[in-house]
Amino acid sequence: MNFVGRVAIVTGASRGIGREIAVQLARGGAAVACVATSQQGADQAVAEIVANGGQGKGYACDVSDTAAVDGLIESVGNDLGVPAILVNNAGITRDTLLMRMKDDDWDRVLDVNLKGAFRMIRAATRPMMKARYGRIVNLSSVIGLHGGAGQANYAAAKAGILGLTMSVAKELGSRGITCNAVAPGFIETDMTADLPAEFRAHVEKQAPAGRLGTPADLAPAVLFFASEESAYVTGQVLTVDGGLML
């Protein structure tokens, strides 16, 4: 897909899914703002982009900090140009059983995973509205669609992403801005590296694809929603789980 002349912002870009999305957007010609909680992580993603002949710049930003998010969007505009694509991928987990879950476990996951996406959208849509063009892609999860034991906070945040996605789609569609979501299943990342062997075997057995997914499996779905070809698709969620939830 052709992203030449487009500026893209990808949060959680230092590794895993976010990094693969950033690399593939750059491969398509986008100038990519790689956002991570640490400057080192952001710069590592940029180094991979540049090594492959692409263009990018790294930014350290905590998406739970409103002032930092507003400053990020301003900096990206000054450095790279008006953002046309926003991929909200930043996320954390604090899994534990409901009866043991502390308020801070709940609040922090919601603040980063859900409110962080809200903050990024609110800030990025101002320049998008002026340009009358934008592609917003939010990373949800199959856990947001079906729930998960020991993940009440994560499930609530990822379910909230779906409601946010549909509301943004309705609110901004007339301004040439689309908003869609991708719901990954179990993808090989640092976040799933500690899955018990028996659970991994269960996933591999249940999924028609017979395996966990990879970031490279997921990124093309995000790129479609980020492209001009998806102009008449908005408010949708695409599950990428190898058929696990069938």
Side-chain angles (χ1 to χ4, degrees):
M1 294 179 185
N2 187 354
F3 298 103
V4 174
R6 299 297 189 193
V7 174
I9 301 173
V10 181
T11 67
S14 64
R15 57 189 180 178
I17 292 170
R19 186 156 172 174
E20 182 67 22
I21 292 167
V23 168
Q24 290 203 23
L25 282 167
R27 191 176 297 145
V32 184
C34 297
V35 182
T37 53
S38 74
Q39 189 64 51
Q40 181 181 13
D43 289 343
Q44 287 173 349
V46 173
E48 183 174 353
I49 286 172
V50 173
N52 286 282
Q55 180 185 0
K57 185 173 176 61
Y59 300 85
C61 180
D62 179 355
V63 297
S64 69
D65 183 334
T66 297
V69 168
D70 291 342
L72 166 71
I73 299 303
E74 183 178 357
S75 295
V76 171
N78 292 334
D79 296 339
L80 300 176
V82 176
I85 299 163
L86 170 62
V87 180
N88 284 309
N89 171 70
I92 62 170
T93 57
R94 286 192 179 181
D95 295 351
T96 189
L97 295 175
L98 185 64
M99 295 293 290
R100 298 175 183 171
M101 188 173 291
K102 296 179 174 62
D103 284 0
D104 185 59
D105 295 330
W106 176 275
D107 293 341
R108 183 60 180 163
V109 170
L110 269 289
D111 199 19
V112 173
N113 295 21
L114 178 56
K115 197 172 180 181
F118 156 72
R119 291 185 184 98
M120 289 295 300
I121 292 169
R122 180 176 60 184
T125 51
R126 292 189 180 102
M128 285 182 179
M129 287 173 69
K130 290 181 181 178
R132 300 192 71 82
Y133 182 92
R135 297 284 185 269
I136 299 169
V137 189
N138 298 321
L139 272 293
S140 181
S141 169
V142 293
I143 301 301
L145 290 164
H146 301 279
Q151 293 185 294
N153 48 4
Y154 187 76
K158 292 302 187 180
I161 286 288
L162 301 178
L164 175 64
T165 296
M166 289 182 279
S167 295
V168 172
K170 287 186 174 183
E171 189 168 330
L172 300 180
S174 64
R175 306 298 183 94
I177 300 171
T178 65
C179 186
N180 293 285
V182 175
F186 290 93
I187 306 296
E188 296 275 12
T189 65
D190 291 348
M191 194 176 285
T192 59
D194 295 330
L195 287 174
E198 58 272 19
F199 183 79
R200 178 182 291 267
H202 170 75
V203 171
E204 293 172 346
K205 181 178 179 181
Q206 291 297 116
R211 62 178 176 85
L212 273 67
T214 68
D217 291 321
L218 183 68
V222 176
L223 263 64
F224 168 68
F225 284 142
S227 71
E228 294 186 13
E229 287 83 352
S230 66
Y232 201 58
V233 182
T234 194
Q236 302 302 305
V237 55
L238 176 58
T239 300
V240 183
D241 68 347
L244 178 64
M245 295 299 176
L246 286 174

